[in-house]
Amino acid sequence: MKSTFTKSLLIASLAIASCSSDDDNMGGEEVIEVTAPVSYVFNRGSETTVSFTGQTQRIAMATELASAMMDFDNSSEALLLNMYANEENPFSDTALNESGKSIKSKVAASAEYFATNTVLSNEIKTKLEGFLSSQVNEVFPNQEVVAEKGVAGQITGVGSTRIRYVSANGLEYNQTFAKSIIGSLMLDQAINNYLSDDVLDQGDNRSNNDDDIVEDGKNYTTMEHKWDEAYGYLYGASQDPTNPNLTLGDDRFLNSYLGQVDEDSDFNGVAANVFDAFKLGRAAIVAKNYEVRDEQAEIIQENLSIVPAVRAVHYLMGGKASIEAEDFGSAFHELSEGYGFVFSLQFTHDPETDAPYFSSSEVNGFIDQMMQGEYGLWDVSPEVLEEISEEIAAKFGFTVAQAVD
């Protein structure tokens, strides 16, 4: 199976070639050339047309919520749930409280996957709420208790003084929650919502874009804005959002892990693929070349889908090694992250099928395998972790060894 990474490089080169020459214009129609800018800068007149404030705000909300999950002295179940839903002014930043945005409203809410599957969407939202509630009700009371099978509390890795706090079945809820929203919020909204035809071409979007009809009081067309909102879920917290690949890791979510995957020599170039496709696709919208736009959306979908897959295998195999070394403190930390990335696989997008690489039922099957013992992660076998890793890697066309390096 050809890897999605290699395939994306091929699609990118074909897309650029197709929009830079009219030699093969057999149909007699004008070929609209598309040239990507060096930076993500697009203007109408002298004013920018790029805006993704809502995405920046949700990344900030998720950042504060993840930190609050570890604030034993000041956080409560009500506070965490209010931060998730943005109710009762829970954030330290007044602008976030007054934004009208929330994490919960956009979790498992993409037009392509969940518009007609509200039951699954609500199940996912409730599962994430469960992590928040369990952190307060199960872990917080046992802050000074040493964790053991069936008992929540604190645990350290072998040779480490870093204290981790885990549930009775070994889950570090703050890690699992943070990695789960990488898929259910950032990835799902970017590649299954804003880059989908359902959203980009909704209603009169295409004709309005053709005629440069902007939204009321704004300097952008709706189609331009939707593309930028997808961009914002990846780069919304970047120090320089016009050249974000200079400092990948500016948030602790999708941006950070795209950078970590890209640092692996086996996957180096994936970040450039994504950024280049975002630029060229946005330029194609300006040029009204929707074929090139759609090609770039597919490149982004494929390359961003690789991120949770690589990191899931990386953490599952790291947990396997730690279990074999009887280092449960390290194992639970890695497996809690791995759990979240496995959970995120149901939000990936294979352009060939317009479906996730792994369905929700398949993902739940993996998680059930991880947690099936009486004491959850305390009982999971190295063999199970390797089997899951092999299945994930095979689906995406890379090897387990490549993800572990």
Side-chain angles (χ1 to χ4, degrees), residues 13-326:
S13 64
L14 290 175
I16 294 171
S18 70
C19 62
S20 59
S21 172
D22 61 359
D23 292 343
D24 298 322
N25 185 13
M26 297 171 58
E29 297 180 1
E30 179 185 0
V31 174
I32 302 172
E33 293 192 6
V34 182
T35 302
V38 174
S39 304
Y40 200 84
V41 175
F42 298 92
N43 295 312
R44 180 168 280 108
S46 60
E47 297 181 12
T48 182
T49 61
V50 178
S51 175
F52 42 81
T53 303
Q55 288 63 46
T56 300
Q57 290 173 328
R58 285 192 175 88
I59 292 171
M61 290 175 184
T63 301
E64 189 168 343
L65 174 53
S67 295
M69 289 185 74
M70 294 302 294
D71 189 345
F72 288 77
D73 296 326
N74 300 301
S75 291
S76 65
E77 181 180 12
L79 176 63
L80 297 185
L81 293 175
N82 284 339
M83 293 175 84
Y84 182 54
N86 193 10
E87 297 174 347
E88 305 297 329
N89 298 319
F91 296 104
S92 60
D93 185 345
T94 301
L96 297 183
N97 295 328
E98 297 176 352
S99 66
K101 315 293 184 182
S102 75
I103 298 168
K104 182 178 180 178
S105 65
K106 293 297 184 178
V107 162
S110 62
E112 190 153 3
Y113 284 3
F114 298 102
T116 60
N117 198 349
T118 56
V119 171
L120 179 58
S121 175
N122 289 333
E123 288 176 356
I124 291 168
K125 287 179 168 67
T126 299
K127 188 177 184 70
L128 295 186
E129 288 177 335
F131 294 147
L132 301 175
S133 296
S134 295
Q135 176 73 351
V136 175
N137 296 325
E138 183 182 350
V139 177
F140 275 21
N142 284 22
Q143 182 180 7
E144 303 300 329
V145 176
V146 176
E148 57 183 273
K149 285 187 176 184
V151 178
Q154 60 174 260
I155 192 169
T156 58
V158 173
S160 172
T161 59
R162 174 75 178 271
I163 297 175
R164 308 283 184 182
Y165 297 93
V166 300
S167 69
N169 60 10
L171 271 180
E172 202 176 349
Y173 287 126
N174 61 306
Q175 293 296 334
T176 300
F177 177 86
K179 276 55 180 185
S180 293
I181 63 169
I182 287 176
S184 62
L185 174 64
M186 288 82 177
L187 191 65
D188 185 50
Q189 281 295 299
I191 67 177
N192 303 319
N193 193 60
Y194 291 116
L195 295 186
S196 71
D197 290 342
D198 294 339
V199 170
L200 289 173
D201 291 334
Q202 183 179 25
D204 296 328
N205 287 0
R206 186 172 288 206
S207 60
N208 286 343
N209 192 71
D210 286 340
D211 296 334
D212 289 317
I213 298 175
V214 299
E215 293 186 3
D216 289 345
K218 305 296 182 181
N219 197 39
Y220 48 70
T221 69
T222 297
M223 187 184 295
E224 290 171 339
H225 186 49
K226 298 307 179 185
W227 188 273
D228 293 340
E229 288 184 292
Y231 184 88
Y233 273 110
L234 178 59
Y235 302 119
S238 296
Q239 296 179 46
D240 181 1
T242 66
N243 289 289
N245 277 0
L246 297 176
T247 56
L248 284 174
D250 288 335
D251 69 29
R252 56 203 293 185
F253 302 106
L254 185 57
N255 182 283
S256 175
Y257 287 95
L258 173 62
Q260 291 182 44
V261 171
D262 191 67
E263 288 174 356
D264 185 330
S265 60
D266 292 304
F267 302 98
N268 183 251
V270 65
N273 283 353
V274 172
F275 182 49
D276 289 346
F278 263 118
K279 290 187 296 178
L280 185 57
R282 182 59 157 79
I285 290 173
V286 174
K288 288 75 172 172
N289 187 325
Y290 305 116
E291 180 179 357
V292 171
R293 180 203 71 178
D294 292 344
E295 288 170 344
Q296 303 316 300
E298 290 187 358
I299 292 171
I300 296 165
Q301 288 166 337
E302 285 188 311
N303 279 265
L304 285 185
S305 292
I306 292 171
V307 174
V310 172
R311 297 312 287 181
V313 173
H314 175 88
Y315 286 118
L316 293 183
M317 293 302 290
K320 171 182 179 288
S322 294
I323 287 174
E324 291 172 334
E326 297 186 352

Side-chain angles (χ1 to χ4, degrees), residues 336-353:
S336 296
E337 294 189 86
Y339 181 120
F341 280 116
V342 169
F343 185 80
S344 290
L345 293 175
Q346 63 191 299
F347 307 100
T348 56
H349 189 113
D350 181 352
E352 293 186 1
T353 63

